[in-house]
Amino acid sequence: MFGLMQDRPLLISSLLTHAERYHPASEIVSVPCEGPVVRTDWAGIARRARQMAQALQRMGVKPGDRVATLAWNTHRHLELYYAVAGIGAVLHTVNPRLYPEQIDYILNHGGAEVLLFDLPFLPLVDAQMDKLPTLRHAVVMTDAAHMPAGRDDLVCYETVLAAEDGALVWPSFDERQASGLCYTSGTTGNPKGVLYSHRSTVLHAFLCCAADGLHLSRADATLLAVPLFHVNAWGIPYASAMCGAKLVLPGLKLDGQSLYDLARAEGCTLSLGVPTVWIGLFKYLDEAGIDPATLPFERVLIGGSAAPRALLRRFHEAGVHAFQAWGMSETSPVATVATLLPHQQALGLDGKLDVLTRQGRAMFGVELKIVGEDGQELPQDGSASGELKVRGPWVTSGYYGGVGGQVLDADGWFATGDVARIDTEGFVTLTDRAKDVIKSGGEWISSIDLENAALGHPAVEAAAVIGVYHEKWQERPLMLVVRKRDTAPEPAEIRAVLEDKVAHWWLPDAIVFVDSLPLTATGKLDKKAMRAVWKDYLATA
Ligand code: AMP
């Protein structure tokens, strides 16, 4: 017998309708690429999203069509999150930091007929235009005053928006319809598209607002330091509408000074971003002689790669509760969140950091397990380590266009490619990406643990550990270190710090100083690029 409750679809447009009705004056602050700061609110975003939806329909966009963006964090990009999905089309956010060939591939594979982009990407778009056979409209996300002269082939965002009256009623449709498309930074082969649905997106938003999820609420003013093209900005644009939180969109400027100034000016209580963003923030504070205690944040979510212990410590010493979450494009992305359990609340800072350096526990809806190389499930005892598998209503069931074939096992589990331990309380500790794992004489060495230990040395600005070829052990760890300005530690000093923290046989065979470390388009350490350069270092050193 079925229950007798209403089967109302979970649609993205309902988030915006709710924000407009119940949180109309909750602010949205945006720094467009061509400046000055724009101040609007959820009522303004809702009105303009309806106008933009009408403009897109006028351009011929129909349900299921892809609409692509190459854009930073601005109010216009936020409007598109709702305008596109609201009419049943699919928002395809493209990462502009990728190589042009990858952007070309991703845009073509997504097959968008409309591309909207920020002004600084005009040269990039011009170089792509004739390679995109499906493209019919190229829209510059700016006003008439900033439109490039003599370009009749381009459409002005503000002009087409202003031509509409906003009298649109969001259509209703099946909640399983596609709403967004995001390509994962392909590690092997071409990038693959993850296709989100209205249902997965709204369910994920609920959990972002849950107290033991990201605890987002109306009381928050969130500085979005994760780009809107990086896995739906971790779901925050949707969750913020659900709870009516103030949202601060920093445009293209994610450097330490810009983030600090904006956070202070707007009284931001929460921010989210990858570790490199926060390392940049502290570097700025240190160099400018600013006391980190002046940071206005109550909470900072660090994700995308492992949050170094030293970084978490700096935030906590400044009175900011920094914590991490784990997830991936394929999991919408948030799957686990590190929240202190009641018995951990009373721990001292070191004890708390022991918990917060882990990737956290599954949010409701997410199931996790680890498996060994033979595919057999391993115990969640805090010591067994294996590939992490995940299952849940906001986890992908396959890639766009069937690329990669069947990605789930017979029981519906998705293999993440991450290697982890899970303890008896359910805390996940990620030790590596499967492809980055260092296997020395058949035993695994955790690069994350080594990097974390190195960052405990006060002169280490950044550290990366990769496995490189070794005659006897097949592979041994090599550590690359960027030193802080005006410091000159010796390798032996860094080694001494590591000796206290990890097993002796884990110690890197060499510690090499470099000026910088290569990063991926989402700001993570690019170990593939490092391995390409350093793979024979031990053989030839
Ligand atoms: P992406 O699909 O670009 O978001 O990348 C997802 C990958 O980022 C995951 O599979 C992990 O390897 C890594 N990742 C995300 N969050 C964390 C975290 N908190 N700690 C360590 N690695 C993470």
Side-chain angles (χ1 to χ4, degrees):
M1 182 162 61
F2 286 124
L4 291 174
M5 308 315 283
Q6 298 182 10
D7 194 11
R8 302 286 298 153
L10 301 172
L11 297 181
I12 287 173
S13 56
S14 69
L15 299 169
L16 192 59
T17 306
H18 177 81
E20 185 179 24
R21 170 67 183 87
Y22 292 100
H23 310 283
S26 182
E27 275 187 301
I28 310 292
V29 180
S30 159
V31 186
C33 300
E34 61 276 12
V37 172
V38 169
R39 307 192 81 84
T40 177
D41 50 28
W42 279 112
I45 295 291
R47 188 181 60 253
R48 283 168 51 90
R50 283 196 300 273
Q51 288 173 281
M52 201 57 212
Q54 291 172 306
L56 291 170
Q57 286 176 330
R58 202 175 292 281
M59 288 179 212
V61 174
K62 297 177 301 303
D65 287 352
R66 274 78 60 216
V67 173
T69 57
L70 273 170
W72 299 110
N73 287 7
T74 69
H75 62 297
R76 296 188 183 110
H77 206 176
L78 179 65
E79 287 154 12
L80 289 169
Y81 260 62
Y82 288 98
V84 174
I87 56 172
V90 179
L91 183 73
H92 178 190
T93 51
V94 181
N95 184 342
R97 295 192 190 125
L98 293 166
Y99 295 113
E101 305 79 60
Q102 286 174 307
I103 294 178
D104 177 25
Y105 172 84
I106 289 172
L107 276 171
N108 262 306
H109 197 264
E113 294 180 14
V114 180
L115 169 65
L116 300 102
F117 60 96
D118 280 332
L119 209 41
F121 299 123
L122 180 58
L124 179 66
V125 173
D126 273 342
Q128 299 284 331
M129 211 93 97
D130 54 351
K131 296 187 212 142
L132 302 173
T134 59
L135 192 67
R136 289 190 290 113
H137 302 283
V139 183
V140 192
M141 293 162 70
T142 191
D143 55 19
H146 292 90
M147 280 301 283
R151 293 295 303 265
D152 297 342
D153 56 331
L154 301 176
V155 176
C156 170
Y157 186 96
E158 290 298 333
T159 305
V160 291
L161 186 149
E164 305 295 340
D165 61 9
L168 171 124
V169 177
W170 296 114
S172 186
F173 41 79
D174 192 314
E175 64 183 16
R176 292 166 300 178
Q177 293 283 326
S179 59
L181 178 63
C182 221
Y183 281 70
T184 60
S185 20
T187 46
T188 50
N190 281 319
K192 297 191 272 296
V194 182
L195 192 62
Y196 308 99
S197 69
H198 285 258
R199 174 184 158 80
S200 70
T201 304
V202 174
L203 289 175
H204 181 263
F206 273 118
L207 270 297
C208 289
C209 294
D212 287 328
L214 304 187
H215 200 306
L216 197 70
S217 83
R218 174 67 184 88
D220 281 311
T222 306
L223 176 65
L224 205 60
V226 54
L228 286 165
F229 55 74
H230 188 194
V231 210
N232 313 312
W234 303 354
I236 297 302
Y238 305 114
S240 298
M242 181 175 270
C243 66
K246 170 175 172 174
L247 203 48
V248 180
L249 302 159
L252 55 76
K253 295 205 184 112
L254 297 180
D255 62 283
Q257 179 167 9
S258 303
L259 291 180
Y260 178 75
D261 291 346
L262 196 56
R264 296 248 307 169
E266 298 300 331
C268 294
T269 57
L270 170 69
S271 192
L272 311 88
V274 294
T276 31
V277 164
W278 306 122
I279 290 167
L281 174 68
F282 279 108
K283 190 171 178 210
Y284 163 70
L285 297 181
D286 290 344
E287 288 175 6
I290 296 171
D291 181 357
T294 58
L295 285 169
F297 306 128
E298 289 163 13
R299 284 142 38 239
V300 163
L301 169 59
I302 308 175
S305 34
R309 188 183 181 96
L311 179 63
L312 288 163
R313 177 184 291 282
R314 289 214 70 183
F315 271 121
H316 282 261
E317 283 173 352
V320 178
H321 180 78
F323 64 105
Q324 63 180 317
W326 165 83
M328 56 201 310
S329 305
E330 289 88 336
T331 64
S332 292
V334 187
T336 71
V337 183
T339 309
L340 294 169
L341 294 171
H343 72 89
Q344 294 160 339
Q345 298 283 357
L347 293 170
L349 180 55
D350 274 308
K352 283 185 176 155
L353 292 179
D354 287 343
V355 179
L356 297 171
T357 42
R358 303 177 208 165
Q359 277 65 25
R361 308 190 325 142
M363 301 204 289
F364 167 75
V366 173
E367 296 172 78
L368 300 173
K369 68 174 178 179
I370 45 172
V371 299
E373 277 174 287
D374 56 1
Q376 291 303 307
E377 184 165 356
L378 295 170
Q380 303 192 1
D381 58 4
S383 69
S385 162
E387 186 177 10
L388 187 60
K389 288 193 156 192
V390 60
R391 198 161 68 170
W394 53 89
V395 177
T396 194
S397 63
Y399 292 105
Y400 182 57
V403 175
Q406 174 64 259
V407 300
L408 304 185
D409 69 15
D411 298 319
W413 292 92
F414 175 79
T416 63
D418 284 329
V419 179
R421 298 187 292 268
I422 305 180
D423 70 17
T424 51
E425 289 181 312
F427 280 95
V428 172
T429 304
L430 235 67
T431 52
D432 253 308
R433 285 291 289 162
K435 64 179 171 41
D436 290 338
V437 148
I438 303 168
K439 235 179 174 184
S440 172
E443 299 279 353
W444 286 359
I445 294 176
S446 164
S447 64
I448 295 180
D449 285 352
L450 281 168
E451 288 157 11
N452 241 323
L455 287 161
H457 190 289
V460 173
E461 183 174 305
V465 176
I466 52 171
V468 296
Y469 174 73
H470 188 281
E471 220 182 324
K472 178 168 176 202
W473 301 108
Q474 295 95 46
E475 228 179 26
R476 286 294 301 160
L478 168 73
M479 177 175 275
L480 304 174
V481 170
V482 180
R483 288 178 281 199
K484 285 194 182 149
R485 212 163 71 178
D486 303 328
T487 66
E490 291 296 323
E493 288 173 46
I494 293 166
R495 215 180 144 78
V497 172
L498 303 181
E499 271 168 0
D500 282 350
K501 296 275 187 322
V502 301
H504 192 72
W505 62 274
W506 278 27
L507 292 173
D509 282 33
I511 298 176
V512 179
F513 296 113
V514 290
D515 292 338
S516 64
L517 294 171
L519 298 178
T520 67
T522 45
K524 306 179 192 192
L525 293 172
D526 189 346
K527 298 208 171 168
K528 202 163 120 191
M530 293 180 216
R531 278 194 299 268
V533 174
W534 297 93
K535 61 182 187 325
D536 293 325
Y537 183 80
L538 294 178
T540 53

